[in-house]
Structure formats: C-alpha cells, structure tokens
Amino acid sequence: MTFQHFSFYGAITLILHLTPQHLALAHTQNLNNIEGDCDEHIVITSDRMLEPVKISTDPKKPRLPLPAYDGAGFLKTITGFNVGRKGGAGGDPSLRGMGGSRVSIVDDSQHVYGTCGGRMDPPTAYIYPETYSSITVIKGPQTVKYGPVGSAGTVLFEKDRHRFTETDFEGRLSSTQGNFDRQDYVGALTLGSTEGYIDIDANQSSSGNYKDGNGNRVQSRYDRHNANIALGWTPTDESVIELAYGYSNGQAEYADRSNQAREIKNENVSLLAQFDFDLTFLNQIEIQAYSNHNNHIMDQFDLGVNSGANVRRNTSGGHVWFELSPSHNASLILGVDYMQSQHKGRYIDKTQDNGLDDLLAKPFRDNLKYRNQALFSELTYAIAIGQIITGMRFDHWNTELFVSQTGQRRDDLMSGFTRLEVPVNASQYYIGLGHAQRMPDYWELRKKSINDLTQEAFSLRPEKNTQLDIGWIYQGDIGLSTSLFYSHIDDYILINTNTEKTTAYNIDATVWGGEIELNVPISEHWSSQSNISYSHGQNETEHTPLGQISPLEARFSVNYEYQAWTVGTLWRVVAAQHRITLGEGNIAGQDLSQSSAFNTFALNASWQHDLGILISLGIENLFNTTYAEHISRSGASNDAPGSEPMFQVNEPGRTTWVKVDYTF
C-alpha cells in the first residue's frame, strides 16, 4: 500500500491505538502545560480551543501549513474550517459545512462585504492576516455583540490599541519566499508616548501560477498590496481616540472562470473612542464609526473577448457599546449598532461598447441596498458552579432592490443564546443553546426565484438556525478539547444550479458534527498534536444530503524542540465524500461530484535567535499528491499557459518555502 493510498480509517485506528500509551506517559512524567516554549516558534496543526466555543490565535506566528496571503487561507489552518479553492486567492471559507454569509467576518469592528457576483472577492480577500494582532473564532451562534449574527460562527480580525507609559517604539519585518514565485513582504512600526501613538503597516504579496501534483499548471496568479495607518491620542491612562485609514489593491486570475480580476480595491476609514471608568456600575464606553469602499473590475479583454463588469460596494456604520457591572458577580454589555451597504455596477453592452475604456465611461446603476439597525445585550453572571453567559439581539432590516422586479422589504429578526460554563479542576464543561436569524444576502437575493425564473429571489425568507453546542476542555498534563454541535435550520437558503437558471429557495436542514483536538507532551523535547473534525448535513425537506459539506478530516503532527530549534511533521488525512447532491450548495459553490480520499505530508523547521530573528522553513505536500478539496470549484476554465482544464481546481503540488521574521 502506497503512502498516498493509506486508508483514512487506518490512520484513525493507528492514532487511537497509540493515544492511551502517550497519555499514560504524559501523566507519569507530570509535564507542564502543553503549550510550553513552543509558543515562540512555529504553530503546527492548528490553535487549540482553550475556552468554550472560542479559539484565539496570534497571526504573526509562522505556521504550518503556510497560509495563503488572505484571510481565508489563514482560517483553513483552524480546525473545522475548509476553503473552496478558485485559484491562488479569493477562496471562500466554510465552517462546519456552512459557508458564505453564514460565517460573519468582522474586520477590526468593520463589516467589509465583497462586490463580485461570482465571489471573486469574499470579505476575507481584503484581509492580510499577519498585520492583525489577534484572530478569534467564535463557533456557533454564541455571541450577539459583533453586528449581524453569524449563524455558523463569527471571526474577529482585531488590532491592538496602544497606551505607552514612556516614549518608545516597536516593529517587525517579515519576508516569505516560496515555490511558484510566492513572495510576501511585511513591515510594521509603532511609535508612541504617554500622549499618543502612530501605528503603520504595509505589505505586498504575489505569486505566479502554481503546479498541481501532476505538474499541470493552475491559473492562480495574484499580486496584492496593503497599507494602514492609525493615529491615536491617549489624553489619559484610561482613554484612547484613534483615527485609522486603510488601503488595499490587487489583481488575480482564477482557474474556475475566464474572467480575471483586473482590480480588487478597498479603502476604509475608522474613528474609534474608548473610555475606561472606575465607577460602581460603568466600566467602559466604546464608540466607533467606519466607512469602507470596494471597487472591483472583472473582464476578459486580454483574451480578446468583449466582456467585462465594474461593481462597487459602499458600506458604512458604527456602534456604541456600554460595559456595565450591575452587581459584584455580573457584567453586562449593552449596545446599539447601525450599518448600511449599497451595491452598484456597470456592465459591457456588446451592442454598443468595446473594451475597458468604454466600460469605465459608463454610469453606475444601483443594484441593491441594505440598512440595518440593531440593539443587543450580553450578560455574564457568576453562579456557584461557574458562570452563565446569555445575550439577545434585535435587528431591523430595510432592503431595496433596484433591478428586475424592483421592490422593498422590511424584516425584524431576533437572535439570542444562553451558555453555561462549569470549571472543575483542570476541566471546563459547557453547554450552549443559540438561535440566529440571518437576512438573505446580496448573492442569494440576486439568484432567480424557483417559482418564476424571470424574477429575482427577493422574497426569500430569513434563515433561522437553532443550535446546541456542548464541549469539554481539559488543560493538565495533556491538552484536550472536544466540541459537538447539532443545528436545525428552518428556511435554510439553498442554491440550485440544476434548473435552467441558478435559483435560490428555502428548505429545512440539519447539520451536526464536531471537533476533537489533542496535544500530548511525549517527553521534554517531543510532543504531538492531533485534531479531527466532521460535519453531516441533511436537506430535511427534500430528504437528500445537504450540498457543500466537507468530509471527515484529521491532522496529526509530531514535533521536536531543543533550545532555539524546532522540527516538525504534519500529516493531513481527508476521507472521501459520498454524501452529495449534484448542483446544490450555497453562494460559494455547489456539489460537482463525489470526492476521493487523500492525504498529504509536510515537514517544517524553525530557529529562534535572541536578537528577535526567527527563521522558519517548510516543505508541503512532500509526496506531490494530486488532489482537490471536496468544496473546490470547477477547473474547467483553467487556462494558464501550458495547462489543461481539470475537473476541480487542484491544490498545489510539492511546495517549499522559507520565512524570516525580525522583531524589534
């Protein structure tokens, strides 16, 4: 049996057979917390959940597998996520089998939505993770604080605010070089004093077309640059007012379509004020206002085809949050937020226009406009056995459609959750029940109605997800976290391409599954990490499997650490997916066929110098396996020089890379 065809279930059996021995060894040696000194080195496999429903990670740390330059590529390294590949950029993240707008992406308290009708630029396409201070994933509808509730989960890309006690500065430089002309450069500098600070970062990332395991070139080139500046004023030790501006632009090609992204541009501005108080009832007030603008040009002009579009999206909003202490054992957050987003576009008319200049000379027309006002409260209350966290949220939506049948609709949605957390010695147990009502997004409303293919699906009912989350987290001689969920979704919005035109309509669905993560310190220098994730989706209305559900997946690593050196391996094993419904899925993609099992192997090493230098390197897909993720898009339009079309967009073949970080 070859390595590439090693059975997934054989791997699981092997790991389960070995695990009890490792646990016994770890207990005998009475080793300390499994995180240990490796926090200073490369992150292998994924970050483990250390508190109920929440995973937090430092995106500046190098990790294996090497993430793509954007937010989706980073999320793929976190247990429970997968990404539908289109090329080298612009992948769509899916959490526990639920993709698209079911995963709420919050960019430093801003909601940044994509513009492209074909999802060339999902929200994560505008995010370069390494420039953020932390990334937090909240699984399930277990928070109501961060804007419209993510029914699958919420992802927070966050940046620190600085308060300097003396005049000082800090910064970092980073460079990554890899196969297929992969180049990333990052620079960041923060200068400050007791009165304020200036925070600057810039990055550039590019790659050529990569090759899959068969040596077939995949159309995946991209080139992108970003820059951000924040000016902060700290008039007191308990207050900060910050004005921030960000800019990003780039271009990309994809293997799943003929259109190229000539421009993917974003500009954003944010004003934030935070005031801390040492009062009986009031702890903090936070006020933020933001505005961001996306501009996207996609066309086939370079291929000699007179086809193109230019779409824009303007989103603005803000929030006011009050953090209160109504009693000695309770904390309460009250908030109000507002958001509006307007989508418009201009398109080539082949009977009158010819080429890019004609496209850019046309006026924009409105497509769709959202307005959202919301109130929420989130309470944490200490009880004898632990704590209860609960929240409620009310959203009022006003939506206007300016194309096809035109129209206006108003929706009032309620979301909420309650979670019990119980610590017992080195363990934490939790159980939470959440309910999220989700407004149909731009891509869903612009699909055709199942009842009339000449009309938009503007009458789609909001989704209503009721989800139970339970779990156990253990932090002792070993590290273990388990999380299980059961989700019943009334009026799930299904995308179907089996009809004459792509349609969107409501069904009822269930999704259940979970994740297990285990870290075992084998000896003073050796450790192992493993995780398993699984989701099972069912279309309860039509009694068929729910489309676009990633299969059972496991990752196993063994790591060696000695002084400034680390060496590690990563083995990723993915089962076949036979539970499909052809042509059905979500806005990010639809099932194309059953998929085969695969596994890949990777090596890595790192060296940490006392002067703030970290050098890390790796080889991914060591055995040059040819494979595609189950939820990846069709590769029929792959048109890279010297390439051939492929059934799905294959993942990269053997890839080597080296990364140098300098912190000062």
Side-chain angles (χ1 to χ4, degrees), residues 183-202:
Q183 300 180 54
D184 287 31
Y185 302 96
V186 183
L189 178 65
T190 300
L191 306 95
S193 68
T194 56
E195 296 181 351
Y197 60 87
I198 179 171
D199 198 347
I200 304 171
D201 67 71

Side-chain angles (χ1 to χ4, degrees), residues 551-621:
L552 181 66
E553 175 179 334
R555 300 181 190 185
F556 311 106
S557 70
V558 177
N559 314 300
Y560 176 79
E561 180 183 343
Y562 180 73
Q563 295 180 354
W565 292 89
T566 65
V567 179
T569 65
L570 171 61
W571 182 22
R572 179 172 179 239
V573 189
V574 179
Q577 178 59 286
H578 300 307
R579 298 191 74 259
I580 69 162
T581 302
L582 289 175
E584 294 186 359
N586 52 51
I587 59 173
Q590 298 79 44
D591 280 352
L592 300 175
S593 73
Q594 297 182 3
S595 57
S596 302
F598 64 86
N599 61 99
T600 63
F601 194 79
L603 302 173
N604 73 88
S606 71
W607 175 71
Q608 176 82 55
H609 192 277
D610 292 339
L611 296 179
I613 298 174
L614 174 63
I615 300 174
S616 52
L617 52 93
I619 305 175
E620 297 176 24
N621 196 359

Side-chain angles (χ1 to χ4, degrees), residues 38-202:
C38 66
D39 278 353
E40 302 301 323
H41 299 287
I42 198 166
V43 176
I44 311 297
T45 308
S46 70
D47 293 272
R48 187 168 57 86
M49 185 170 66
L50 299 177
E51 55 183 302
V53 305
K54 184 182 294 185
I55 295 174
S56 296
T57 182
D58 181 355
K60 293 180 173 59
K61 292 180 183 177
R63 61 189 54 230
L64 191 78
L66 178 67
Y69 81 97
D70 63 6
F74 187 94
L75 292 177
K76 190 176 179 179
T77 68
I78 296 177
T79 306
F81 277 94
N82 207 325
V83 173
R85 183 177 286 277
K86 307 180 183 83
D92 252 300
S94 173
L95 173 59
R96 292 172 161 178
M98 291 189 276
S101 300
R102 298 177 181 95
V103 182
S104 178
I105 305 296
V106 184
D107 183 355
D108 203 29
S109 295
Q110 295 192 47
H111 290 275
V112 181
Y113 299 100
T115 56
C116 176
R119 303 283 291 181
M120 282 184 176
D121 64 333
T124 47
Y126 296 98
I127 292 172
Y128 191 87
E130 204 171 320
T131 61
Y132 292 79
S133 304
S134 65
I135 297 175
T136 301
V137 175
I138 303 171
K139 294 184 177 181
Q142 287 291 309
T143 183
V144 294
K145 180 179 178 182
Y146 303 98
V149 177
S151 52
T154 301
V155 182
L156 309 176
F157 292 85
E158 298 177 298
K159 296 186 177 181
D160 286 341
R161 268 76 211 183
H162 307 275
R163 289 189 176 100
F164 286 84
T165 57
E166 59 183 5
T167 301
D168 200 358
F169 70 92
E170 59 187 37
R172 64 187 299 269
L173 299 170
S174 174
S175 174
T176 303
Q177 307 291 318
N179 282 36
F180 318 120
D181 297 324
R182 169 77 183 267
Q183 300 180 54
D184 287 31
Y185 302 96
V186 183
L189 178 65
T190 300
L191 306 95
S193 68
T194 56
E195 296 181 351
Y197 60 87
I198 179 171
D199 198 347
I200 304 171
D201 67 71

Side-chain angles (χ1 to χ4, degrees), residues 242-365:
E242 181 186 274
L243 177 64
Y245 170 78
Y247 174 89
S248 68
N249 202 351
Q251 52 186 288
E253 295 179 356
Y254 309 86
D256 71 325
R257 67 198 67 197
S258 298
N259 278 338
Q260 67 166 323
R262 185 177 296 272
E263 180 174 273
I264 303 176
K265 180 181 177 181
N266 173 266
E267 289 186 88
N268 64 84
V269 62
S270 173
L271 179 63
L272 172 74
Q274 289 179 341
F275 303 97
D276 293 339
F277 300 93
D278 188 17
L279 301 175
T280 304
F281 296 106
L282 181 62
N283 298 330
Q284 186 183 81
I285 296 176
E286 178 175 304
I287 304 170
Q288 185 185 35
Y290 66 86
S291 178
N292 57 73
H293 171 79
N294 297 348
N295 190 69
H296 172 49
I297 302 174
M298 50 187 161
D299 63 72
Q300 300 179 43
F301 299 139
D302 292 348
L303 300 177
V305 179
N306 186 32
S307 175
N310 181 194
V311 287
R312 288 181 175 175
R313 191 159 190 166
N314 297 297
T315 304
S316 58
H319 66 252
V320 180
W321 294 342
F322 298 91
E323 186 176 314
L324 309 172
S325 296
S327 67
H328 71 279
N329 59 346
S331 62
L332 176 66
I333 299 175
L334 298 176
V336 56
D337 53 64
Y338 172 81
M339 184 268 294
Q340 70 172 14
S341 187
Q342 185 169 13
H343 189 283
K344 60 181 66 177
R346 52 189 178 185
Y347 311 89
I348 280 287
D349 182 345
K350 295 182 180 181
T351 64
Q352 303 178 32
D353 309 317
N354 187 21
L356 181 62
D357 290 341
D358 283 355
L359 172 63
L360 300 182
K362 297 174 71 68
F364 281 94
R365 295 183 302 165

